[in-house]
Amino acid sequence: MTSTLLPKTEYGAAARFLSTSKKLLIDGEWVNAASGKTFETIDPATENKLADIALGGVEDIDRAVTAARKALEQSPWSRMTPSERQRILHRLGDLILENADELAWLESLDNGKPVSVAKVADIPLTADLFHYMAAQIRVLTGDVVPVSDIAVPGAEFHAYTLREPVGVVGLITPWNYPLLIAAGWQMAACLAAGNTVVLKPSEVTPLSILRFGELALEAGIPPGVINIVPGFGADAGARLSSHPDVDKIGFTGSTRTGRGILKAVADSNLKKVTLELGGKSPDIIMDDADLDVAIPGAAEGIFFNHGQCCCAGSRLYVQEKIYDRVVAGISDYAKTIRLGSGQDPNTQMGPLVSQNQENTVLGYIRSGLEEGAELTAGGRKVGDKGFFVEPTVFVNANRNMKMVREEIFGPVLSIERFTDLNDLVRKANDTEYGLGAGIWTTDLSNAHKVAKAIRSGTVFINCYNVFDAAMPFGGYKQSGWGRNRGKEAFEAYTETKAVYVRLDGIHHTSFACR
Ligand code: NDP
């Protein structure tokens, strides 16, 4: 399947980086894998090889964890003042923006998304997360807490809490927003809180995060604070989650892999865990919605990033009166989306990320047809090179169908009708997931009532897929544990220490302070 490298002129702003060798970042040095092995990363639009990447394995993860532990205990990182650490993270955010073109090209070539999308979404959002988290460093404080004398009658205390880094953090991340999730969502807060990191990115899309590693060193991140080890989940990922000297795992990926990570953690050192997992998010259009906004909005809610969004609005519920108009509008929208290589400026939707992902998505489309759903748009693979699948819309779908229950992670929408709001809320919540939801209406009261009733970590009203560094993100139910982004991210990446100082004389009169 994979073959020749393209002429470098085809790589646009990514040409220079692609002509260098791709190694692992351990202890501030670019090194080969201990095994000497490499793997290929390919362009999903052409199936051509982009680069050979050093293949990290168990031994490399062990080396990286040792480096991260040493950096935590001995490097300037742990002793830096907040203002020094803040300056470095701001500088890193600036460097991401200064190199936005190159990073956007790398993301497009490796993942398939349009360069234009990476330029306006992935890259600026990543930079903004570094700027936001850098600013938070100065207000990341504990509290002074008034305590009572119940434990020691008559005693007087000064009591306070400290927010301390969790320690060495292992990050394991997916391929849909390779740089944004690994660097922005996960690493920015983790570094701001003073932790050190070993990252195992998805082996499907390692390029942008390796370039980020270069920028991190240029920004002045000390050796060993960020270690990047691309490799396979079953090998490098499994070792990181079961490693006895890792204090925490921050994972973004599927619910199935998340479960496996929890087992590994339970069987090793009970390290802390944050999980950002899958979704099957409901999007709701009510009778009174402005359909000129709601129809393209709901279409983009599923088709943006080729449906490869964890909170994609993949189950659309449409109220009776406007059902036919919405089905026609969304189906027409799907049919006009221009598919092509992400580097073509006319492209609106690129290929899916891999052959595996294409097989998965086409399998769900087949199962929808077998179970009686009806296609109103798309449904087919496009071309014989690259992993292109048409934006697809199903009607006559219901909860009993596999493609309505399970996360597809592709450009496939199922539409159902609803009559009253109570019935709607029951249907919307009838899922094991709880990541996102959309509501399109002009009735403020219904908007807030339904937003409150839906069990999900994020609700978009008259918009979809809006993300901001300052807003928390995470899942209810089986969509995850904990929150990334916003000030809540620091809950995930700090430990809280309680300190009691007794101010009066020493009186051993109680069970406390003996
Ligand atoms: P996977 O769960 O397959 O993989 C995620 C990461 O885990 C990859 O780096 C993978 O490595 C690694 N991994 C695989 N097996 C193991 C293992 N046994 N131990 C440790 N690590 C392992 O997800 P995808 O990469 O396919 O990403 C898509 C999924 O991610 C979807 O379910 C999506 O909803 C979810 N996601 C959730 C988000 C959220 O914020 N809630 C955001 C984005 C995506 P390898 O690449 O080698 O398999």
Side-chain angles (χ1 to χ4, degrees):
M1 183 187 68
T2 59
S3 54
T4 47
L5 284 163
L6 284 177
K8 298 290 179 275
T9 47
E10 307 273 329
Y11 293 153
R16 184 208 59 82
F17 183 68
L18 280 167
S19 66
T20 64
S21 63
K22 309 287 166 301
K23 299 187 177 179
L24 316 174
L25 177 59
I26 298 179
D27 208 6
E29 304 286 339
W30 293 98
V31 296
N32 289 318
S35 66
K37 289 186 186 159
T38 60
F39 66 98
E40 292 181 354
T41 189
I42 65 163
D43 174 350
T46 60
E47 302 178 44
N48 285 323
K49 178 166 88 173
L50 291 166
D52 291 306
I53 316 281
L55 176 64
V58 170
E59 203 178 319
D60 304 297
I61 291 289
D62 288 353
R63 281 196 289 166
V65 171
T66 303
R69 175 64 60 193
K70 191 178 83 187
L72 184 79
E73 289 171 1
Q74 298 169 24
S75 89
W77 193 245
S78 52
R79 293 189 294 277
M80 239 171 226
T81 65
S83 80
E84 283 172 310
R85 194 178 316 130
Q86 183 185 37
R87 264 199 302 278
I88 293 177
L89 293 189
H90 272 310
R91 175 85 187 111
L92 185 47
D94 290 345
L95 283 171
I96 291 168
L97 290 179
E98 285 164 26
N99 292 276
D101 267 13
E102 181 185 354
L103 290 166
W105 269 80
L106 288 171
E107 214 62 307
S108 171
L109 284 160
D110 217 8
N111 165 283
K113 67 180 69 191
V115 173
S116 54
V117 169
K119 252 190 218 174
V120 297
D122 301 54
I123 311 304
L125 279 170
T126 306
D128 194 48
L129 275 151
F130 275 92
H131 290 305
Y132 174 84
M133 295 302 171
Q136 292 297 311
I137 293 175
R138 304 298 282 272
V139 291
L140 178 61
T141 59
D143 295 312
V144 174
V145 183
V147 297
S148 311
D149 67 348
I150 295 171
V152 191
E156 192 186 342
F157 295 95
H158 170 56
Y160 59 94
T161 58
L162 293 173
R163 301 292 292 274
E164 297 181 340
V166 180
V168 172
V169 177
L171 298 177
I172 302 176
T173 54
W175 44 258
N176 58 331
Y177 292 96
L179 182 73
L180 177 60
I181 291 180
W185 291 20
Q186 297 278 19
M187 216 187 282
C190 181
L191 294 172
N195 299 286
T196 59
V197 174
V198 177
L199 168 71
K200 201 241 36 106
S202 169
E203 101 284 349
V204 181
T205 52
L207 291 176
S208 56
I209 196 69
L210 290 172
R211 176 69 182 114
F212 164 87
E214 292 182 345
L215 298 177
L217 296 180
E218 190 181 334
I221 298 273
V225 171
I226 297 177
N227 303 276
I228 303 176
V229 185
F232 296 115
D235 188 20
R239 176 59 180 163
L240 192 54
S241 29
S242 62
H243 199 294
D245 203 27
V246 170
D247 299 299
K248 154 132 200 170
I249 290 288
F251 173 74
T252 306
S254 64
T255 298
R256 187 178 47 80
T257 307
R259 247 190 211 106
I261 284 176
L262 284 181
K263 286 186 187 135
V265 164
D267 290 343
S268 56
N269 63 341
L270 281 181
K271 50 181 76 64
K272 309 284 184 288
V273 183
T274 306
L275 300 173
E276 289 206 334
L277 306 176
K280 190 74 190 178
S281 300
D283 201 0
I284 296 153
I285 307 186
M286 298 187 193
D287 277 343
D288 53 35
D290 176 350
L291 294 189
D292 291 340
V293 178
I295 289 174
E300 281 303 308
I302 175 66
F303 298 129
F304 184 70
N305 211 42
H306 325 167
Q308 300 168 148
C309 284
C310 46
C311 61
S314 51
R315 294 183 290 138
L316 183 65
Y317 296 97
V318 183
Q319 205 157 6
E320 194 106 55
K321 220 164 71 188
I322 51 160
Y323 180 82
D324 290 338
R325 218 176 124 197
V326 170
V327 168
I330 295 213
S331 306
D332 287 348
Y333 191 100
K335 287 174 197 163
T336 60
I337 291 175
R338 287 189 301 274
L339 262 72
S341 149
Q343 296 89 60
D344 178 343
N346 293 315
T347 292
Q348 292 174 310
M349 186 187 282
L352 300 183
V353 77
S354 65
Q355 183 70 67
N356 269 348
Q357 197 59 16
E358 180 189 294
N359 294 344
T360 304
V361 171
L362 292 174
Y364 276 109
I365 292 174
R366 269 196 308 279
S367 94
L369 289 170
E370 283 160 13
E371 291 188 297
E374 192 187 319
L375 280 174
T376 58
R380 289 169 310 180
K381 172 178 171 58
V382 179
D384 52 11
K385 266 280 172 216
F387 313 122
F388 294 95
V389 174
E390 290 175 328
T392 297
V393 180
F394 274 111
V395 292
N396 294 337
N398 65 62
R399 164 76 167 99
N400 298 325
M401 296 174 179
K402 180 176 151 78
M403 64 108 183
V404 176
R405 283 193 316 273
E406 297 181 9
E407 181 181 47
I408 300 176
F409 221 56
V412 182
L413 178 69
S414 64
I415 308 186
E416 287 183 59
R417 74 177 85 214
F418 72 91
T419 44
D420 70 275
L421 291 189
N422 288 333
D423 176 41
L424 162 76
V425 167
R426 190 188 52 72
K427 280 180 164 163
N429 281 335
D430 187 12
T431 167
E432 66 201 33
Y433 295 112
L435 198 56
I439 300 170
W440 304 86
T441 180
T442 51
D443 182 322
L444 259 184
S445 155
N446 280 342
H448 288 296
K449 264 196 261 175
V450 175
K452 200 168 171 197
I454 287 190
R455 291 185 39 74
S456 72
T458 298
V459 178
F460 304 106
I461 299 176
N462 293 326
C463 59
Y464 209 93
N465 280 334
V466 179
F467 301 106
D468 192 273
M471 287 288 272
F473 188 79
Y476 283 35
K477 299 195 265 182
Q478 294 185 37
S479 286
W481 289 2
R483 294 291 179 272
N484 270 323
R485 309 205 311 255
K487 55 184 185 329
E488 284 80 355
F490 289 104
E491 299 296 332
Y493 288 116
T494 54
E495 294 275 25
T496 302
K497 180 178 282 174
V499 182
Y500 295 85
V501 185
R502 188 159 174 181
L503 299 179
D504 57 323
I506 311 295
H507 307 290
H508 297 299
T509 54
S510 165
F511 54 84
C513 288
R514 280 181 225 271

Coordinates of all heavy atoms in Angstrom, one line a residue, residues 85 89 129 132-141 163-166 188-195 248 483-496:
R85 N 8.2 30.2 34.7 CA 7.5 29.1 33.9 C 6.5 29.8 33.0 O 6.3 29.3 31.9 CB 6.9 28.2 34.9 CG 6.4 26.9 34.2 CD 5.8 25.9 35.1 NE 6.5 25.7 36.3 CZ 5.9 25.7 37.5 NH1 4.6 25.9 37.6 NH2 6.6 25.5 38.6
L89 N 6.1 29.2 28.8 CA 4.9 28.7 28.1 C 4.3 29.8 27.2 O 3.8 29.4 26.1 CB 3.8 28.3 29.2 CG 4.2 27.1 30.0 CD1 3.1 26.6 30.8 CD2 4.7 25.9 29.1
L129 N -4.3 27.8 24.1 CA -4.3 27.1 25.4 C -3.0 27.3 26.1 O -3.0 27.4 27.4 CB -4.5 25.6 25.1 CG -6.0 25.2 25.0 CD1 -6.3 24.1 24.1 CD2 -6.6 24.9 26.4
Y132 N -3.4 30.8 27.7 CA -4.4 30.7 28.8 C -3.8 30.1 30.0 O -3.8 30.6 31.1 CB -5.7 30.0 28.3 CG -6.6 29.9 29.5 CD1 -7.5 30.9 29.8 CD2 -6.7 28.7 30.2 CE1 -8.4 30.7 30.8 CE2 -7.6 28.5 31.3 CZ -8.4 29.5 31.6 OH -9.3 29.4 32.6
M133 N -3.2 28.9 29.8 CA -2.6 28.1 31.0 C -1.4 28.9 31.6 O -1.2 28.9 32.8 CB -2.3 26.7 30.6 CG -3.4 25.9 30.1 SD -4.7 25.7 31.4 CE -6.0 24.9 30.6
A134 N -0.6 29.6 30.7 CA 0.5 30.3 31.2 C -0.1 31.4 32.2 O 0.5 31.7 33.3 CB 1.3 31.0 30.1
A135 N -1.2 32.1 31.8 CA -1.7 33.1 32.6 C -2.3 32.5 33.9 O -2.2 33.2 35.0 CB -2.9 33.8 31.9
Q136 N -2.8 31.3 33.9 CA -3.4 30.7 35.1 C -2.3 30.4 36.1 O -2.6 30.3 37.3 CB -4.1 29.4 34.7 CG -5.4 29.6 33.9 CD -6.4 30.4 34.6 OE1 -6.7 30.1 35.8 NE2 -6.9 31.4 34.0
I137 N -1.1 30.2 35.7 CA 0.0 29.9 36.7 C 0.0 30.9 37.8 O 0.2 30.5 39.0 CB 1.4 29.9 36.0 CG1 1.4 28.7 34.9 CG2 2.5 29.7 37.0 CD1 2.7 28.7 34.1
R138 N -0.2 32.2 37.5 CA -0.1 33.2 38.5 C -1.2 33.2 39.5 O -1.2 33.9 40.5 CB 0.0 34.6 37.8 CG 1.2 34.7 36.8 CD 2.5 34.4 37.5 NE 3.0 35.6 38.2 CZ 3.7 36.5 37.7 NH1 4.0 36.5 36.4 NH2 4.1 37.6 38.4
V139 N -2.4 32.6 39.1 CA -3.5 32.5 40.0 C -3.8 31.1 40.5 O -4.9 30.9 41.1 CB -4.8 33.2 39.4 CG1 -4.6 34.7 39.2 CG2 -5.1 32.5 38.0
L140 N -2.9 30.2 40.3 CA -3.0 28.9 40.7 C -2.6 28.8 42.2 O -1.4 28.7 42.5 CB -2.2 27.9 39.9 CG -2.2 26.4 40.3 CD1 -3.6 25.9 40.3 CD2 -1.3 25.6 39.5
T141 N -3.5 29.0 43.1 CA -3.2 29.2 44.5 C -4.0 28.2 45.3 O -5.0 27.7 44.9 CB -3.5 30.6 45.0 OG1 -4.9 30.8 44.9 CG2 -2.7 31.6 44.3
R163 N -1.3 23.8 46.2 CA -1.6 23.1 45.0 C -0.2 22.7 44.5 O 0.6 23.5 44.1 CB -2.3 23.9 44.0 CG -3.6 24.5 44.5 CD -4.7 23.4 44.6 NE -5.1 22.8 43.3 CZ -6.1 23.4 42.6 NH1 -6.7 24.4 43.0 NH2 -6.4 22.8 41.4
E164 N 0.0 21.4 44.4 CA 1.3 20.9 44.0 C 1.2 20.0 42.7 O 0.1 19.4 42.5 CB 2.0 20.1 45.1 CG 2.2 20.9 46.4 CD 2.9 20.1 47.5 OE1 2.8 18.9 47.5 OE2 3.4 20.8 48.4
P165 N 2.3 20.0 41.9 CA 2.2 19.1 40.7 C 1.9 17.6 41.1 O 2.4 17.2 42.2 CB 3.6 19.2 40.1 CG 4.3 20.2 40.9 CD 3.5 20.6 42.0
V166 N 1.2 16.9 40.3 CA 1.0 15.5 40.6 C 2.3 14.7 40.4 O 2.6 13.7 41.1 CB 0.0 14.9 39.6 CG1 -0.3 13.4 39.8 CG2 -1.4 15.6 39.7
A188 N -0.7 21.5 28.0 CA -0.5 22.9 28.4 C -0.8 23.1 29.9 O 0.0 23.6 30.7 CB -1.4 23.9 27.6
A189 N -1.9 22.5 30.4 CA -2.3 22.7 31.8 C -1.3 21.8 32.7 O -0.9 22.2 33.8 CB -3.7 22.2 32.1
C190 N -0.9 20.7 32.1 CA -0.1 19.8 32.8 C 1.3 20.4 33.1 O 1.8 20.4 34.3 CB 0.1 18.5 32.0 SG 1.1 17.3 32.6
L191 N 1.8 21.1 32.1 CA 3.1 21.8 32.3 C 2.9 23.1 33.2 O 3.8 23.3 34.0 CB 3.7 22.3 30.9 CG 4.1 21.1 30.0 CD1 4.4 21.7 28.6 CD2 5.3 20.4 30.5
A192 N 1.8 23.8 33.0 CA 1.6 25.0 33.8 C 1.6 24.6 35.3 O 2.1 25.4 36.1 CB 0.3 25.6 33.4
A193 N 1.1 23.5 35.6 CA 1.0 23.0 37.0 C 2.3 22.5 37.5 O 2.4 22.2 38.7 CB -0.1 22.0 37.2
G194 N 3.4 22.5 36.6 CA 4.7 22.1 37.1 C 5.0 20.6 37.0 O 6.1 20.2 37.5
N195 N 4.2 19.9 36.3 CA 4.5 18.4 36.1 C 5.5 18.2 35.0 O 5.8 19.1 34.2 CB 3.2 17.7 35.7 CG 2.1 17.8 36.7 OD1 2.2 17.1 37.7 ND2 1.1 18.6 36.5
K248 N 0.5 9.7 37.1 CA -0.9 10.0 36.5 C -0.9 9.7 35.0 O 0.1 9.9 34.3 CB -1.1 11.5 36.8 CG -2.1 12.1 35.8 CD -3.2 13.0 36.5 CE -4.3 13.1 35.5 NZ -5.5 13.6 36.0
R483 N -12.1 16.8 33.9 CA -12.2 17.8 32.8 C -10.8 18.3 32.4 O -9.9 18.5 33.2 CB -13.0 19.0 33.4 CG -14.4 18.7 33.8 CD -15.3 18.5 32.5 NE -16.7 18.1 32.8 CZ -17.1 16.9 33.0 NH1 -16.3 15.9 33.0 NH2 -18.4 16.7 33.2
N484 N -10.7 18.6 31.1 CA -9.6 19.3 30.6 C -10.0 20.7 30.2 O -11.2 21.0 30.0 CB -9.0 18.6 29.3 CG -8.0 17.6 29.7 OD1 -7.2 17.8 30.6 ND2 -8.0 16.5 29.0
R485 N -9.0 21.6 30.1 CA -9.3 23.0 29.7 C -10.0 23.8 30.9 O -10.5 23.2 31.8 CB -10.1 23.1 28.4 CG -9.5 22.3 27.3 CD -9.9 22.9 26.0 NE -11.3 23.2 25.8 CZ -12.2 22.4 25.2 NH1 -11.7 21.4 24.5 NH2 -13.4 22.8 25.1
G486 N -10.0 25.1 30.7 CA -10.6 25.9 31.8 C -9.8 25.8 33.1 O -8.7 25.0 33.1
K487 N -10.2 26.4 34.1 CA -9.4 26.3 35.4 C -9.6 24.9 36.0 O -8.8 24.5 36.8 CB -9.8 27.4 36.3 CG -11.2 27.6 36.7 CD -11.3 28.8 37.6 CE -12.7 29.1 38.1 NZ -13.9 28.7 37.4
E488 N -10.7 24.2 35.5 CA -10.9 22.8 36.0 C -9.8 21.9 35.7 O -9.5 20.9 36.3 CB -12.2 22.3 35.5 CG -13.5 22.8 36.1 CD -13.9 24.2 35.6 OE1 -13.1 24.7 34.7 OE2 -15.0 24.7 36.0
A489 N -9.0 22.3 34.6 CA -7.9 21.4 34.2 C -6.9 21.2 35.3 O -6.2 20.2 35.4 CB -7.2 22.0 33.0
F490 N -6.8 22.2 36.2 CA -5.8 22.2 37.2 C -6.2 21.1 38.3 O -5.3 20.7 39.1 CB -5.5 23.5 37.8 CG -4.7 24.4 36.8 CD1 -5.4 25.4 36.1 CD2 -3.4 24.1 36.6 CE1 -4.7 26.1 35.2 CE2 -2.7 24.9 35.6 CZ -3.3 25.9 34.9
E491 N -7.5 20.8 38.4 CA -7.9 19.8 39.3 C -7.3 18.5 38.9 O -6.9 17.6 39.7 CB -9.4 19.6 39.3 CG -10.2 20.8 39.7 CD -10.0 21.1 41.2 OE1 -9.6 20.2 42.0 OE2 -10.1 22.3 41.5
A492 N -7.2 18.3 37.5 CA -6.6 17.1 37.0 C -5.1 17.0 37.2 O -4.6 15.9 37.2 CB -7.0 17.0 35.5
Y493 N -4.4 18.1 37.2 CA -3.0 18.1 37.2 C -2.3 18.6 38.4 O -1.1 18.8 38.4 CB -2.5 18.8 35.9 CG -2.8 18.0 34.7 CD1 -3.7 18.5 33.7 CD2 -2.2 16.7 34.5 CE1 -4.0 17.7 32.6 CE2 -2.5 16.0 33.4 CZ -3.4 16.5 32.4 OH -3.7 15.7 31.3
T494 N -3.1 18.7 39.5 CA -2.4 19.1 40.8 C -2.9 18.2 41.9 O -4.0 17.6 41.8 CB -2.8 20.5 41.2 OG1 -4.2 20.7 41.2 CG2 -2.1 21.6 40.3
E495 N -2.1 18.0 42.9 CA -2.6 17.4 44.2 C -2.8 18.6 45.1 O -2.1 19.6 45.1 CB -1.5 16.5 44.8 CG -1.1 15.3 43.9 CD -2.1 14.1 44.2 OE1 -3.2 14.4 44.7 OE2 -1.6 13.0 44.0
T496 N -3.8 18.4 46.1 CA -4.0 19.5 47.1 C -3.5 19.0 48.4 O -3.8 17.9 48.8 CB -5.5 19.8 47.2 OG1 -5.9 20.2 45.9 CG2 -5.7 20.9 48.2

